Amino acid sequence: MLNIAVLVSGGGTNLQALIDAQNRSEITEGRIAVVISSREDAYALERAKKAGIPTEIIIRKTYASQEEYDTALLEILDRYQIGLIVLAGFMTIISGNVIRHYENKMINVHPALIPSFCGEGFYGLRVHKAVLEKGVKLTGATVHFVNEVCDGGPIILQKAVEVLPDDTPEILQRRVMEQAEWKLLPKAVALFSEGKITVENGKTKIREDAI
Ligand code: GAR
């Protein structure tokens, strides 16, 4: 059984989607072993506790250096024998040191169709604001492996979502979550834990029988 760590900073609706998928037996080869939060007050922690999942809190600014933070984070991941890290709205930058330890074993959900509206500064509501400012008619979500380029790792799954005339960033964020993120992330976790995703030349391949 694959041990999964879900890293969170906020509301944790993507964490909830993973918990629900696990409870519906849609993720059979893996289980959420720990939820790690970058904030003490993240509502995601309540969701984890309700589901009986162990929680850890690790706050970057309480460490004197990046190295000390990395050591502490790696220690937690080691302790739970983690084989897959899921960034589900995790707002602390993960250093190259940690990324290299978990090459092709760390995935992120991004609320846009990468390579649009991604990279440094594009997170949370800011992404949806930028989408509305540009006036694109389609946006969506992307689940991808994490490498050292911000939002630049191999793409696993994507789903398009319509932008509607009266959208506000909040309304659009909710639609992207409902129609794309909450479906894609559990699906990607299930595929990964079943060993159905491979990476070749910076691109993913998903085994035929998988979808
Ligand atoms: C989600 O929309 C996720 O895609 C986004 O933060 C939100 C977290 O919501 N992540 C990023 O913007 C990363 N660049 P949640 O805490 O309710 O899952």
mmCIF file of all heavy atoms in Angstrom, residues 7-17 42 44 47 87-91 108-112 117-119 121-128 140-142 144 150-151 173-174 176-177 181-182 185, ligand 1:
data_model
loop_
_atom_site.group_PDB
_atom_site.id
_atom_site.type_symbol
_atom_site.label_atom_id
_atom_site.label_comp_id
_atom_site.label_asym_id
_atom_site.label_seq_id
_atom_site.Cartn_x
_atom_site.Cartn_y
_atom_site.Cartn_z
ATOM 1 N N LEU A 7 -0.215 17.839 1.237
ATOM 2 C CA LEU A 7 0.290 19.094 1.803
ATOM 3 C C LEU A 7 -0.708 20.218 1.503
ATOM 4 O O LEU A 7 -1.112 20.394 0.346
ATOM 5 C CB LEU A 7 1.673 19.426 1.222
ATOM 6 C CG LEU A 7 2.875 18.741 1.923
ATOM 7 C CD1 LEU A 7 2.747 17.242 1.956
ATOM 8 C CD2 LEU A 7 4.186 19.173 1.310
ATOM 9 N N VAL A 8 -1.096 20.941 2.540
ATOM 10 C CA VAL A 8 -2.185 21.912 2.437
ATOM 11 C C VAL A 8 -1.812 23.227 3.126
ATOM 12 O O VAL A 8 -0.899 23.267 3.957
ATOM 13 C CB VAL A 8 -3.467 21.359 3.107
ATOM 14 C CG1 VAL A 8 -3.970 20.110 2.399
ATOM 15 C CG2 VAL A 8 -3.211 21.060 4.581
ATOM 16 N N SER A 9 -2.580 24.281 2.771
ATOM 17 C CA SER A 9 -2.397 25.572 3.445
ATOM 18 C C SER A 9 -3.714 26.244 3.766
ATOM 19 O O SER A 9 -3.738 27.233 4.502
ATOM 20 C CB SER A 9 -1.587 26.531 2.562
ATOM 21 O OG SER A 9 -0.304 26.033 2.309
ATOM 22 N N GLY A 10 -4.805 25.777 3.156
ATOM 23 C CA GLY A 10 -6.047 26.544 3.266
ATOM 24 C C GLY A 10 -7.263 25.701 3.559
ATOM 25 O O GLY A 10 -7.258 24.851 4.455
ATOM 26 N N GLY A 11 -8.292 25.928 2.753
ATOM 27 C CA GLY A 11 -9.589 25.306 2.986
ATOM 28 C C GLY A 11 -9.595 23.796 2.866
ATOM 29 O O GLY A 11 -10.400 23.122 3.501
ATOM 30 N N GLY A 12 -8.745 23.283 2.019
ATOM 31 C CA GLY A 12 -8.630 21.833 1.913
ATOM 32 C C GLY A 12 -9.753 21.142 1.159
ATOM 33 O O GLY A 12 -10.039 19.973 1.418
ATOM 34 N N THR A 13 -10.369 21.841 0.199
ATOM 35 C CA THR A 13 -11.437 21.151 -0.553
ATOM 36 C C THR A 13 -10.856 20.052 -1.439
ATOM 37 O O THR A 13 -11.512 19.036 -1.666
ATOM 38 C CB THR A 13 -12.259 22.133 -1.416
ATOM 39 O OG1 THR A 13 -11.427 22.713 -2.414
ATOM 40 C CG2 THR A 13 -12.913 23.212 -0.578
ATOM 41 N N ASN A 14 -9.642 20.250 -1.930
ATOM 42 C CA ASN A 14 -9.017 19.175 -2.715
ATOM 43 C C ASN A 14 -8.646 17.984 -1.822
ATOM 44 O O ASN A 14 -8.770 16.836 -2.235
ATOM 45 C CB ASN A 14 -7.793 19.696 -3.473
ATOM 46 C CG ASN A 14 -8.199 20.403 -4.747
ATOM 47 O OD1 ASN A 14 -8.604 19.759 -5.722
ATOM 48 N ND2 ASN A 14 -8.139 21.727 -4.739
ATOM 49 N N LEU A 15 -8.205 18.273 -0.602
ATOM 50 C CA LEU A 15 -7.978 17.196 0.365
ATOM 51 C C LEU A 15 -9.280 16.437 0.589
ATOM 52 O O LEU A 15 -9.305 15.197 0.597
ATOM 53 C CB LEU A 15 -7.473 17.771 1.696
ATOM 54 C CG LEU A 15 -7.509 16.805 2.876
ATOM 55 C CD1 LEU A 15 -6.521 15.661 2.685
ATOM 56 C CD2 LEU A 15 -7.239 17.549 4.191
ATOM 57 N N GLN A 16 -10.382 17.182 0.743
ATOM 58 C CA GLN A 16 -11.679 16.539 0.972
ATOM 59 C C GLN A 16 -12.056 15.631 -0.206
ATOM 60 O O GLN A 16 -12.567 14.523 -0.006
ATOM 61 C CB GLN A 16 -12.768 17.608 1.168
ATOM 62 C CG GLN A 16 -14.082 17.045 1.676
ATOM 63 C CD GLN A 16 -13.941 16.460 3.078
ATOM 64 O OE1 GLN A 16 -13.487 17.124 3.990
ATOM 65 N NE2 GLN A 16 -14.313 15.191 3.252
ATOM 66 N N ALA A 17 -11.777 16.102 -1.418
ATOM 67 C CA ALA A 17 -12.075 15.284 -2.603
ATOM 68 C C ALA A 17 -11.278 13.974 -2.550
ATOM 69 O O ALA A 17 -11.788 12.909 -2.924
ATOM 70 C CB ALA A 17 -11.749 16.060 -3.876
ATOM 71 N N ALA A 42 -5.239 26.297 9.185
ATOM 72 C CA ALA A 42 -5.825 25.823 7.921
ATOM 73 C C ALA A 42 -7.043 24.938 8.217
ATOM 74 O O ALA A 42 -6.945 23.994 9.010
ATOM 75 C CB ALA A 42 -4.793 25.041 7.120
ATOM 76 N N ALA A 44 -8.208 22.805 6.419
ATOM 77 C CA ALA A 44 -7.866 21.454 5.960
ATOM 78 C C ALA A 44 -7.508 20.535 7.135
ATOM 79 O O ALA A 44 -7.783 19.325 7.095
ATOM 80 C CB ALA A 44 -6.700 21.532 4.983
ATOM 81 N N ARG A 47 -10.568 18.940 8.501
ATOM 82 C CA ARG A 47 -11.045 17.875 7.605
ATOM 83 C C ARG A 47 -10.256 16.586 7.852
ATOM 84 O O ARG A 47 -10.826 15.496 7.887
ATOM 85 C CB ARG A 47 -10.888 18.298 6.143
ATOM 86 C CG ARG A 47 -11.721 19.528 5.749
ATOM 87 C CD ARG A 47 -11.472 19.818 4.268
ATOM 88 N NE ARG A 47 -12.037 21.069 3.812
ATOM 89 C CZ ARG A 47 -13.292 21.218 3.350
ATOM 90 N NH1 ARG A 47 -14.102 20.184 3.309
ATOM 91 N NH2 ARG A 47 -13.720 22.395 2.924
ATOM 92 N N LEU A 87 0.551 18.021 -3.521
ATOM 93 C CA LEU A 87 0.412 19.428 -3.141
ATOM 94 C C LEU A 87 -1.018 19.841 -3.483
ATOM 95 O O LEU A 87 -1.395 19.876 -4.656
ATOM 96 C CB LEU A 87 1.424 20.301 -3.889
ATOM 97 C CG LEU A 87 2.903 19.893 -3.780
ATOM 98 C CD1 LEU A 87 3.786 20.916 -4.494
ATOM 99 C CD2 LEU A 87 3.346 19.748 -2.330
ATOM 100 N N ALA A 88 -1.806 20.102 -2.448
ATOM 101 C CA ALA A 88 -3.223 20.433 -2.653
ATOM 102 C C ALA A 88 -3.464 21.825 -2.081
ATOM 103 O O ALA A 88 -3.964 21.986 -0.974
ATOM 104 C CB ALA A 88 -4.108 19.389 -1.981
ATOM 105 N N GLY A 89 -3.024 22.842 -2.846
ATOM 106 C CA GLY A 89 -3.131 24.213 -2.357
ATOM 107 C C GLY A 89 -2.077 24.521 -1.308
ATOM 108 O O GLY A 89 -2.326 25.294 -0.385
ATOM 109 N N PHE A 90 -0.886 23.932 -1.461
ATOM 110 C CA PHE A 90 0.218 24.169 -0.512
ATOM 111 C C PHE A 90 0.959 25.422 -0.961
ATOM 112 O O PHE A 90 1.434 25.490 -2.089
ATOM 113 C CB PHE A 90 1.164 22.970 -0.491
ATOM 114 C CG PHE A 90 2.180 23.005 0.613
ATOM 115 C CD1 PHE A 90 1.776 22.980 1.943
ATOM 116 C CD2 PHE A 90 3.539 23.037 0.341
ATOM 117 C CE1 PHE A 90 2.710 22.987 2.979
ATOM 118 C CE2 PHE A 90 4.481 23.042 1.359
ATOM 119 C CZ PHE A 90 4.061 23.016 2.681
ATOM 120 N N MET A 91 1.034 26.433 -0.081
ATOM 121 C CA MET A 91 1.511 27.746 -0.503
ATOM 122 C C MET A 91 2.968 28.043 -0.121
ATOM 123 O O MET A 91 3.439 29.155 -0.319
ATOM 124 C CB MET A 91 0.573 28.841 0.033
ATOM 125 C CG MET A 91 -0.830 28.767 -0.548
ATOM 126 S SD MET A 91 -0.840 28.830 -2.360
ATOM 127 C CE MET A 91 -2.565 28.460 -2.741
ATOM 128 N N ASN A 108 1.085 18.121 -8.176
ATOM 129 C CA ASN A 108 0.460 19.380 -7.773
ATOM 130 C C ASN A 108 -0.807 19.564 -8.592
ATOM 131 O O ASN A 108 -0.868 19.141 -9.746
ATOM 132 C CB ASN A 108 1.437 20.528 -8.064
ATOM 133 C CG ASN A 108 0.860 21.893 -7.738
ATOM 134 O OD1 ASN A 108 0.295 22.101 -6.658
ATOM 135 N ND2 ASN A 108 0.983 22.835 -8.664
ATOM 136 N N VAL A 109 -1.810 20.212 -7.992
ATOM 137 C CA VAL A 109 -2.981 20.613 -8.775
ATOM 138 C C VAL A 109 -2.910 22.124 -8.959
ATOM 139 O O VAL A 109 -2.706 22.873 -8.003
ATOM 140 C CB VAL A 109 -4.312 20.157 -8.127
ATOM 141 C CG1 VAL A 109 -4.518 20.710 -6.723
ATOM 142 C CG2 VAL A 109 -5.494 20.526 -9.017
ATOM 143 N N HIS A 110 -3.040 22.542 -10.226
ATOM 144 C CA HIS A 110 -2.986 23.973 -10.553
ATOM 145 C C HIS A 110 -4.313 24.378 -11.188
ATOM 146 O O HIS A 110 -4.805 23.679 -12.088
ATOM 147 C CB HIS A 110 -1.822 24.257 -11.499
ATOM 148 C CG HIS A 110 -1.698 25.719 -11.814
ATOM 149 N ND1 HIS A 110 -1.195 26.629 -10.909
ATOM 150 C CD2 HIS A 110 -2.070 26.427 -12.903
ATOM 151 C CE1 HIS A 110 -1.250 27.836 -11.442
ATOM 152 N NE2 HIS A 110 -1.780 27.742 -12.650
ATOM 153 N N PRO A 111 -4.885 25.533 -10.766
ATOM 154 C CA PRO A 111 -6.228 25.872 -11.247
ATOM 155 C C PRO A 111 -6.252 26.630 -12.575
ATOM 156 O O PRO A 111 -6.910 27.658 -12.705
ATOM 157 C CB PRO A 111 -6.777 26.734 -10.105
ATOM 158 C CG PRO A 111 -5.562 27.416 -9.561
ATOM 159 C CD PRO A 111 -4.423 26.442 -9.715
ATOM 160 N N ALA A 112 -5.545 26.117 -13.572
ATOM 161 C CA ALA A 112 -5.592 26.669 -14.935
ATOM 162 C C ALA A 112 -5.028 25.614 -15.880
ATOM 163 O O ALA A 112 -4.499 24.587 -15.429
ATOM 164 C CB ALA A 112 -4.776 27.954 -15.040
ATOM 165 N N PHE A 117 -1.427 30.863 -17.600
ATOM 166 C CA PHE A 117 -1.757 31.329 -16.244
ATOM 167 C C PHE A 117 -1.085 30.478 -15.160
ATOM 168 O O PHE A 117 -1.733 29.965 -14.254
ATOM 169 C CB PHE A 117 -3.280 31.351 -16.063
ATOM 170 C CG PHE A 117 -3.969 32.164 -17.122
ATOM 171 C CD1 PHE A 117 -4.668 31.539 -18.155
ATOM 172 C CD2 PHE A 117 -3.882 33.545 -17.125
ATOM 173 C CE1 PHE A 117 -5.279 32.292 -19.156
ATOM 174 C CE2 PHE A 117 -4.484 34.304 -18.120
ATOM 175 C CZ PHE A 117 -5.183 33.676 -19.139
ATOM 176 N N CYS A 118 0.222 30.313 -15.298
ATOM 177 C CA CYS A 118 0.962 29.527 -14.310
ATOM 178 C C CYS A 118 2.324 30.159 -14.075
ATOM 179 O O CYS A 118 2.673 31.156 -14.700
ATOM 180 C CB CYS A 118 1.105 28.087 -14.776
ATOM 181 S SG CYS A 118 2.139 27.904 -16.235
ATOM 182 N N GLY A 119 3.076 29.589 -13.187
ATOM 183 C CA GLY A 119 4.406 30.106 -12.849
ATOM 184 C C GLY A 119 4.335 30.987 -11.615
ATOM 185 O O GLY A 119 3.305 31.045 -10.937
ATOM 186 N N GLY A 121 3.792 33.610 -8.855
ATOM 187 C CA GLY A 121 2.748 34.614 -8.636
ATOM 188 C C GLY A 121 1.356 34.139 -9.028
ATOM 189 O O GLY A 121 0.365 34.790 -8.707
ATOM 190 N N PHE A 122 1.263 33.025 -9.740
ATOM 191 C CA PHE A 122 -0.049 32.511 -10.137
ATOM 192 C C PHE A 122 -0.483 31.419 -9.160
ATOM 193 O O PHE A 122 -0.089 30.261 -9.297
ATOM 194 C CB PHE A 122 -0.010 31.946 -11.562
ATOM 195 C CG PHE A 122 0.029 32.996 -12.619
ATOM 196 C CD1 PHE A 122 1.225 33.405 -13.175
ATOM 197 C CD2 PHE A 122 -1.147 33.587 -13.063
ATOM 198 C CE1 PHE A 122 1.266 34.392 -14.149
ATOM 199 C CE2 PHE A 122 -1.122 34.574 -14.036
ATOM 200 C CZ PHE A 122 0.084 34.981 -14.580
ATOM 201 N N TYR A 123 -1.245 31.831 -8.183
ATOM 202 C CA TYR A 123 -1.787 30.852 -7.241
ATOM 203 C C TYR A 123 -3.141 31.342 -6.748
ATOM 204 O O TYR A 123 -3.435 32.557 -6.760
ATOM 205 C CB TYR A 123 -0.824 30.607 -6.062
ATOM 206 C CG TYR A 123 -0.473 31.851 -5.300
ATOM 207 C CD1 TYR A 123 -1.301 32.311 -4.267
ATOM 208 C CD2 TYR A 123 0.659 32.587 -5.608
ATOM 209 C CE1 TYR A 123 -0.996 33.469 -3.574
ATOM 210 C CE2 TYR A 123 0.976 33.744 -4.922
ATOM 211 C CZ TYR A 123 0.145 34.181 -3.911
ATOM 212 O OH TYR A 123 0.440 35.332 -3.235
ATOM 213 N N GLY A 124 -3.983 30.376 -6.347
ATOM 214 C CA GLY A 124 -5.289 30.705 -5.778
ATOM 215 C C GLY A 124 -6.102 31.628 -6.676
ATOM 216 O O GLY A 124 -6.103 31.497 -7.898
ATOM 217 N N LEU A 125 -6.764 32.602 -6.047
ATOM 218 C CA LEU A 125 -7.663 33.509 -6.774
ATOM 219 C C LEU A 125 -6.950 34.353 -7.828
ATOM 220 O O LEU A 125 -7.560 34.787 -8.799
ATOM 221 C CB LEU A 125 -8.357 34.454 -5.782
ATOM 222 C CG LEU A 125 -9.640 33.956 -5.131
ATOM 223 C CD1 LEU A 125 -10.160 35.014 -4.173
ATOM 224 C CD2 LEU A 125 -10.708 33.609 -6.175
ATOM 225 N N ARG A 126 -5.651 34.579 -7.629
ATOM 226 C CA ARG A 126 -4.890 35.390 -8.601
ATOM 227 C C ARG A 126 -4.946 34.787 -9.994
ATOM 228 O O ARG A 126 -4.934 35.504 -10.992
ATOM 229 C CB ARG A 126 -3.413 35.462 -8.193
ATOM 230 C CG ARG A 126 -3.171 36.291 -6.977
ATOM 231 C CD ARG A 126 -1.703 36.160 -6.590
ATOM 232 N NE ARG A 126 -1.443 36.921 -5.400
ATOM 233 C CZ ARG A 126 -0.434 37.767 -5.276
ATOM 234 N NH1 ARG A 126 0.417 37.946 -6.253
ATOM 235 N NH2 ARG A 126 -0.264 38.429 -4.158
ATOM 236 N N VAL A 127 -4.965 33.463 -10.043
ATOM 237 C CA VAL A 127 -5.024 32.770 -11.337
ATOM 238 C C VAL A 127 -6.337 33.127 -12.040
ATOM 239 O O VAL A 127 -6.348 33.505 -13.212
ATOM 240 C CB VAL A 127 -4.943 31.235 -11.126
ATOM 241 C CG1 VAL A 127 -5.105 30.504 -12.456
ATOM 242 C CG2 VAL A 127 -3.645 30.854 -10.431
ATOM 243 N N HIS A 128 -7.430 33.055 -11.295
ATOM 244 C CA HIS A 128 -8.753 33.293 -11.890
ATOM 245 C C HIS A 128 -8.936 34.767 -12.257
ATOM 246 O O HIS A 128 -9.573 35.086 -13.249
ATOM 247 C CB HIS A 128 -9.832 32.778 -10.939
ATOM 248 C CG HIS A 128 -9.620 31.335 -10.582
ATOM 249 N ND1 HIS A 128 -9.803 30.323 -11.493
ATOM 250 C CD2 HIS A 128 -9.173 30.752 -9.440
ATOM 251 C CE1 HIS A 128 -9.498 29.161 -10.911
ATOM 252 N NE2 HIS A 128 -9.117 29.393 -9.665
ATOM 253 N N GLY A 140 -9.416 25.974 -16.798
ATOM 254 C CA GLY A 140 -9.500 24.580 -16.376
ATOM 255 C C GLY A 140 -8.546 24.292 -15.247
ATOM 256 O O GLY A 140 -8.206 25.184 -14.463
ATOM 257 N N ALA A 141 -8.129 23.035 -15.173
ATOM 258 C CA ALA A 141 -7.173 22.648 -14.137
ATOM 259 C C ALA A 141 -6.192 21.639 -14.713
ATOM 260 O O ALA A 141 -6.481 20.968 -15.708
ATOM 261 C CB ALA A 141 -7.898 22.055 -12.932
ATOM 262 N N THR A 142 -5.043 21.575 -14.054
ATOM 263 C CA THR A 142 -3.964 20.674 -14.481
ATOM 264 C C THR A 142 -3.399 19.969 -13.255
ATOM 265 O O THR A 142 -3.158 20.616 -12.241
ATOM 266 C CB THR A 142 -2.804 21.488 -15.134
ATOM 267 O OG1 THR A 142 -3.326 22.264 -16.211
ATOM 268 C CG2 THR A 142 -1.699 20.580 -15.621
ATOM 269 N N HIS A 144 0.002 17.894 -12.355
ATOM 270 C CA HIS A 144 1.313 17.641 -12.981
ATOM 271 C C HIS A 144 2.331 17.214 -11.925
ATOM 272 O O HIS A 144 2.151 17.471 -10.731
ATOM 273 C CB HIS A 144 1.795 18.912 -13.689
ATOM 274 C CG HIS A 144 2.018 20.068 -12.763
ATOM 275 N ND1 HIS A 144 3.232 20.353 -12.194
ATOM 276 C CD2 HIS A 144 1.165 21.008 -12.271
ATOM 277 C CE1 HIS A 144 3.122 21.408 -11.413
ATOM 278 N NE2 HIS A 144 1.872 21.836 -11.430
ATOM 279 N N CYS A 150 8.777 26.174 -11.665
ATOM 280 C CA CYS A 150 7.459 26.412 -11.068
ATOM 281 C C CYS A 150 6.339 26.079 -12.069
ATOM 282 O O CYS A 150 6.286 26.684 -13.156
ATOM 283 C CB CYS A 150 7.381 27.877 -10.628
ATOM 284 S SG CYS A 150 5.852 28.291 -9.813
ATOM 285 N N ASP A 151 5.493 25.132 -11.741
ATOM 286 C CA ASP A 151 4.388 24.668 -12.599
ATOM 287 C C ASP A 151 4.881 24.097 -13.925
ATOM 288 O O ASP A 151 4.133 24.058 -14.913
ATOM 289 C CB ASP A 151 3.364 25.791 -12.865
ATOM 290 C CG ASP A 151 2.652 26.246 -11.594
ATOM 291 O OD1 ASP A 151 2.451 25.401 -10.693
ATOM 292 O OD2 ASP A 151 2.317 27.442 -11.500
ATOM 293 N N GLN A 173 -13.464 30.307 -9.673
ATOM 294 C CA GLN A 173 -12.659 29.377 -8.860
ATOM 295 C C GLN A 173 -13.492 28.160 -8.445
ATOM 296 O O GLN A 173 -13.051 27.023 -8.539
ATOM 297 C CB GLN A 173 -12.142 30.090 -7.612
ATOM 298 C CG GLN A 173 -11.338 29.177 -6.693
ATOM 299 C CD GLN A 173 -10.879 29.871 -5.430
ATOM 300 O OE1 GLN A 173 -11.680 30.453 -4.702
ATOM 301 N NE2 GLN A 173 -9.596 29.834 -5.174
ATOM 302 N N ARG A 174 -14.716 28.441 -8.011
ATOM 303 C CA ARG A 174 -15.602 27.374 -7.545
ATOM 304 C C ARG A 174 -15.937 26.408 -8.696
ATOM 305 O O ARG A 174 -15.932 25.195 -8.523
ATOM 306 C CB ARG A 174 -16.882 28.016 -6.978
ATOM 307 C CG ARG A 174 -17.878 27.050 -6.428
ATOM 308 C CD ARG A 174 -17.433 26.506 -5.080
ATOM 309 N NE ARG A 174 -18.289 25.410 -4.670
ATOM 310 C CZ ARG A 174 -18.165 24.751 -3.530
ATOM 311 N NH1 ARG A 174 -17.224 25.081 -2.679
ATOM 312 N NH2 ARG A 174 -18.955 23.753 -3.228
ATOM 313 N N VAL A 176 -14.172 25.863 -11.432
ATOM 314 C CA VAL A 176 -12.964 25.098 -11.798
ATOM 315 C C VAL A 176 -12.722 23.972 -10.784
ATOM 316 O O VAL A 176 -12.368 22.852 -11.151
ATOM 317 C CB VAL A 176 -11.732 26.036 -11.913
ATOM 318 C CG1 VAL A 176 -10.437 25.246 -12.012
ATOM 319 C CG2 VAL A 176 -11.891 26.960 -13.116
ATOM 320 N N MET A 177 -12.970 24.273 -9.519
ATOM 321 C CA MET A 177 -12.811 23.224 -8.501
ATOM 322 C C MET A 177 -13.805 22.090 -8.732
ATOM 323 O O MET A 177 -13.431 20.922 -8.806
ATOM 324 C CB MET A 177 -13.042 23.806 -7.110
ATOM 325 C CG MET A 177 -11.884 24.619 -6.578
ATOM 326 S SD MET A 177 -12.346 25.350 -4.988
ATOM 327 C CE MET A 177 -10.731 25.686 -4.295
ATOM 328 N N GLU A 181 -10.850 20.285 -10.709
ATOM 329 C CA GLU A 181 -9.862 19.892 -9.696
ATOM 330 C C GLU A 181 -10.283 18.687 -8.853
ATOM 331 O O GLU A 181 -9.513 17.752 -8.665
ATOM 332 C CB GLU A 181 -9.579 21.062 -8.750
ATOM 333 C CG GLU A 181 -8.929 22.237 -9.436
ATOM 334 C CD GLU A 181 -8.563 23.331 -8.458
ATOM 335 O OE1 GLU A 181 -7.910 23.051 -7.454
ATOM 336 O OE2 GLU A 181 -8.948 24.494 -8.702
ATOM 337 N N TRP A 182 -11.521 18.722 -8.362
ATOM 338 C CA TRP A 182 -11.957 17.660 -7.443
ATOM 339 C C TRP A 182 -12.116 16.314 -8.149
ATOM 340 O O TRP A 182 -12.243 15.283 -7.490
ATOM 341 C CB TRP A 182 -13.288 18.050 -6.766
ATOM 342 C CG TRP A 182 -13.211 19.306 -5.950
ATOM 343 C CD1 TRP A 182 -12.073 19.921 -5.489
ATOM 344 C CD2 TRP A 182 -14.309 20.106 -5.504
ATOM 345 N NE1 TRP A 182 -12.405 21.057 -4.790
ATOM 346 C CE2 TRP A 182 -13.767 21.198 -4.778
ATOM 347 C CE3 TRP A 182 -15.693 20.002 -5.635
ATOM 348 C CZ2 TRP A 182 -14.567 22.182 -4.192
ATOM 349 C CZ3 TRP A 182 -16.492 20.988 -5.048
ATOM 350 C CH2 TRP A 182 -15.934 22.055 -4.341
ATOM 351 N N LEU A 185 -7.759 15.400 -9.426
ATOM 352 C CA LEU A 185 -6.745 15.070 -8.426
ATOM 353 C C LEU A 185 -6.919 13.632 -7.892
ATOM 354 O O LEU A 185 -5.953 12.856 -7.906
ATOM 355 C CB LEU A 185 -6.737 16.113 -7.296
ATOM 356 C CG LEU A 185 -5.539 16.024 -6.360
ATOM 357 C CD1 LEU A 185 -4.209 16.192 -7.103
ATOM 358 C CD2 LEU A 185 -5.630 17.063 -5.249
HETATM 359 C C1 GAR B 1 -6.932 25.171 -5.361
HETATM 360 O O1 GAR B 1 -7.725 25.873 -6.285
HETATM 361 C C2 GAR B 1 -5.598 24.808 -5.979
HETATM 362 O O2 GAR B 1 -5.693 24.495 -7.338
HETATM 363 C C3 GAR B 1 -4.835 26.090 -5.781
HETATM 364 O O3 GAR B 1 -5.187 26.497 -4.475
HETATM 365 C C4 GAR B 1 -6.525 26.076 -4.191
HETATM 366 C C5 GAR B 1 -6.550 25.355 -2.869
HETATM 367 O O4 GAR B 1 -7.867 25.110 -2.459
HETATM 368 N N1 GAR B 1 -3.430 25.881 -5.941
HETATM 369 C C6 GAR B 1 -2.623 26.765 -6.538
HETATM 370 O O5 GAR B 1 -2.991 27.848 -6.930
HETATM 371 C C7 GAR B 1 -1.180 26.310 -6.676
HETATM 372 N N2 GAR B 1 -0.477 27.125 -7.628
HETATM 373 P P1 GAR B 1 -8.206 24.005 -1.371
HETATM 374 O O6 GAR B 1 -7.358 24.304 -0.122
HETATM 375 O O7 GAR B 1 -9.670 24.210 -1.094
HETATM 376 O O8 GAR B 1 -7.905 22.646 -1.948
#
